[in-house]
Amino acid sequence: MNPNNRQAYWRENTALIRNLLIVWAVVSLGMSILFVQPLNTIRFFGVPFGFWMAQQGSIYVFVVLIFVYAVQMDKLDRKYKRKD
């Protein structure tokens, strides 16, 4: 892999990680801590939504983020023909 492709690959890789970390921060800090009171006015499966996000929803989001990362990195590896 030439140096230009290597830089482009890592630029896209770090952008993907940054974007997924932003989603993680919004879900974990925003929905589960900062905005829990307004979210608790919404009922979800019979419990306040803010509470549900803090206890269950954030875990589901984190698992989805893992799968998104794996799929996107597979596409990125194929795009740049990475083998290592």
Side-chain angles (χ1 to χ4, degrees):
M1 179 181 279
N2 70 37
N4 290 338
N5 278 350
R6 185 167 299 181
Q7 285 181 337
Y9 173 81
W10 284 106
R11 193 175 313 115
E12 289 187 47
N13 184 7
T14 55
L16 173 63
I17 293 170
R18 179 197 64 229
N19 294 339
L20 293 176
L21 284 173
I22 289 170
V23 171
W24 170 79
V26 167
V27 169
S28 64
L29 295 174
M31 295 182 81
S32 300
I33 297 172
L34 298 176
F35 304 114
V36 72
Q37 293 303 322
L39 290 173
N40 277 341
T41 61
I42 303 167
R43 303 294 286 181
F44 189 72
F45 290 119
V47 297
F49 185 64
F51 174 78
W52 187 86
M53 279 304 297
Q55 301 302 314
Q56 297 294 323
S58 59
I59 296 168
Y60 294 139
V61 171
F62 300 152
V63 170
V64 168
L65 288 177
I66 292 168
F67 284 106
V68 168
Y69 178 75
V71 169
Q72 293 300 324
M73 280 306 296
D74 187 48
K75 289 179 184 177
L76 191 63
D77 288 342
R78 276 190 263 118
K79 177 180 175 181
Y80 288 98
K81 297 176 179 60
R82 295 285 298 200
K83 294 180 182 159
D84 51 355

